[in-house]
Amino acid sequence: MLIADIMALVAPPVTDLLRRSRTGTPDPQPMFPTIIAVRNDRVVASVSTPRIEATMSAATTLAVGVDPQALVVATEARLDGEQPALTYAVMTRERQARWVLQEVTEGADGVRFSVPVDGGEPTGQGAGTLRVLAEAMGQRPIDVSTVARKDRSGTFGEEPFLAAEQGRVVVDAGTMRTLHERVSEIGGQAIYVARSPEAARTALAAGLPRTCLLGGGSTTDSGVRSG
C-alpha cells in the first residue's frame, strides 16, 4: 500500500477530529494524540488518549491483534515554534516509514488545512514514534484461522474453528476491548469501524463494547472521534 493512499484515508478523519476539538466548547481543546490502523484499504480502528505515551502503548496491541497494513500516529505540533500543524508518523507492515506534515490555519471562518507534505527526516519525539511503530509492526499478528467456535454441538467432523472472516472480527473485537479497558481509565477512547452490519453484530457478540463501535459499513463514518 502506497504512503499517498494511506494518507488519503487517514488525513480526512484526522482533520475532522481536530476541527471538532476546536468547536462546540467555549475553551477549544487540543486534539488527543491518535493512532490509526489501516487494513484492506480502509480505516479499521483508532485509539486516542490525552498523552502520547499512552497512545503509543497501543501500537503493538493493534499490530498483533488487528494486523494492519499500516499504523499512523497523528499529533498536533508547532512548526518552528509558531505555525500550527498536524504531524503524521506512517509505518507500513513492510516497514516503509514516512513523516508527514500538514499546516493548520485558524481564523474567523474556521480551521483550514494545507495539503499534507513530506516532512523530511524527523528528529526527537518524531524519530522515537517511528521507531516504536517499526518495532510494533515487526511483531507476528494473530492467526485468525485458529479462532475456536463456541457453538459446536460435538458432531463428528464438525469444523472446530470459525471461518477466517468471522475469526478476523472476533480477534478485532477482543483487541479493541482490551484497548478500551486500558485507555478509558485515563479519558481515552478506542474505536472500531465495522466493515458491515453483519461484522458489527459479530463484534458485539464477541464482546466489543458498544461505545467502541462506529458504523457498520457506512461510508460516512470518519473512523476516529474526538475525546
Side-chain angles (χ1 to χ4, degrees), residues 51-76:
R51 302 194 301 270
I52 184 63
E53 297 83 4
T55 296
M56 293 306 302
S57 72
T60 298
T61 304
L62 285 170
V64 172
V66 174
D67 190 15
Q69 291 171 286
L71 289 175
V72 182
V73 175
T75 59
E76 282 195 71

Side-chain angles (χ1 to χ4, degrees), residues 153-226:
S153 63
T155 304
F156 179 77
E158 181 178 303
E159 175 57 53
F161 302 112
L162 291 173
E165 184 175 300
Q166 291 177 297
R168 172 74 277 162
V169 177
V170 170
V171 172
D172 286 349
T175 301
M176 299 311 296
R177 182 177 65 247
T178 296
L179 289 170
H180 167 75
E181 293 170 352
R182 184 189 306 171
V183 305
S184 61
E185 297 178 355
I186 59 171
Q189 189 170 35
I191 294 297
Y192 179 63
V193 187
R195 67 174 182 268
S196 67
E198 180 183 1
R201 290 191 292 270
T202 299
L204 291 172
L208 178 76
R210 189 169 292 276
T211 56
C212 294
L213 180 63
L214 185 64
S218 171
T219 57
T220 60
D221 294 326
S222 68
V224 291
R225 290 180 179 173
S226 60

Side-chain angles (χ1 to χ4, degrees), residues 66-97:
V66 174
D67 190 15
Q69 291 171 286
L71 289 175
V72 182
V73 175
T75 59
E76 282 195 71
R78 292 275 176 175
L79 303 181
D80 300 322
E82 296 183 5
Q83 173 63 47
L86 286 166
T87 65
Y88 301 85
V90 185
M91 184 65 62
T92 70
R93 178 60 75 179
E94 294 75 27
R95 249 71 64 81
Q96 292 180 316

Side-chain angles (χ1 to χ4, degrees), residues 1-134:
M1 192 174 188
L2 299 177
I3 300 292
D5 295 329
I6 295 168
M7 286 304 303
L9 293 171
V10 169
V14 170
T15 54
D16 183 59
L17 181 65
L18 186 141
R19 185 179 284 111
R20 282 185 283 140
S21 74
R22 297 291 196 271
T23 59
T25 61
D27 182 23
Q29 300 297 312
M31 186 189 83
F32 283 178
T34 300
I35 185 168
I36 300 168
V38 174
R39 188 184 71 212
N40 296 333
D41 301 324
R42 69 182 186 88
V43 171
V44 69
S46 71
V47 176
S48 301
T49 81
R51 302 194 301 270
I52 184 63
E53 297 83 4
T55 296
M56 293 306 302
S57 72
T60 298
T61 304
L62 285 170
V64 172
V66 174
D67 190 15
Q69 291 171 286
L71 289 175
V72 182
V73 175
T75 59
E76 282 195 71
R78 292 275 176 175
L79 303 181
D80 300 322
E82 296 183 5
Q83 173 63 47
L86 286 166
T87 65
Y88 301 85
V90 185
M91 184 65 62
T92 70
R93 178 60 75 179
E94 294 75 27
R95 249 71 64 81
Q96 292 180 316
R98 186 66 57 85
W99 185 249
V100 179
L101 299 178
Q102 185 175 25
E103 292 187 2
V104 179
T105 302
E106 301 182 69
D109 57 344
V111 185
R112 292 180 296 164
F113 304 91
S114 70
V115 175
V117 298
D118 191 317
E121 193 70 25
T123 60
Q125 181 176 294
T129 296
L130 285 174
R131 185 169 56 252
V132 171
L133 291 180

